[in-house]
Amino acid sequence: MNQEVIGTRVYRLRPGWRLQWEEAQQRHVLLYPEGMVKLNESAGAILGELDGQRDVVTLIERLQAKFPEAPDGAIAEDVHAFLVDAQQQGWIQHD
């Protein structure tokens, strides 16, 4: 499987997977048929931007606008690393 993240690539959750805010846990979770993954704040923010229409460049721009206090380049680095990991975990797919 190619684990390279390309800026024009469009990612989305795999079919049957759903991102949800869990009020009791005060965090996002990723639900799938066999269970649930508890997400940290960064993972929830990134997955919340995946809609199957936005490319990686747009996703990074949106997150930079939401978190302007982040150091230069940090969001892009985090997004790329997370997308590679999420793809390896089988949480997301791309066209």
Side-chain angles (χ1 to χ4, degrees):
M1 180 188 310
N2 182 359
Q3 298 303 321
E4 182 180 7
V5 174
I6 299 171
T8 57
R9 195 168 278 168
V10 176
Y11 289 89
R12 65 182 177 282
L13 291 175
R14 286 182 51 196
W17 293 58
R18 182 169 47 100
L19 179 67
Q20 178 176 304
W21 175 256
E22 281 292 323
E23 188 65 35
Q25 298 179 36
Q26 289 294 297
R27 67 173 57 214
H28 281 98
V29 295
L30 189 56
L31 302 172
Y32 60 103
E34 297 84 25
M36 174 179 72
V37 177
K38 295 178 185 177
L39 302 171
N40 65 26
E41 185 178 352
S42 296
I46 294 168
L47 288 176
E49 294 295 329
L50 297 184
D51 64 357
Q53 296 178 12
R54 295 184 191 112
D55 63 18
V56 173
V57 170
T58 303
L59 183 143
I60 291 168
E61 289 170 352
R62 289 175 59 90
L63 290 169
Q64 286 173 331
K66 284 184 179 181
F67 303 100
E69 70 283 354
D72 287 345
I75 289 178
E77 186 177 314
D78 288 350
V79 166
H80 282 267
F82 176 80
L83 292 176
V84 168
D85 187 50
Q87 192 173 9
Q88 288 173 341
Q89 297 292 331
W91 301 350
I92 62 173
Q93 60 188 33
H94 63 81
D95 296 327

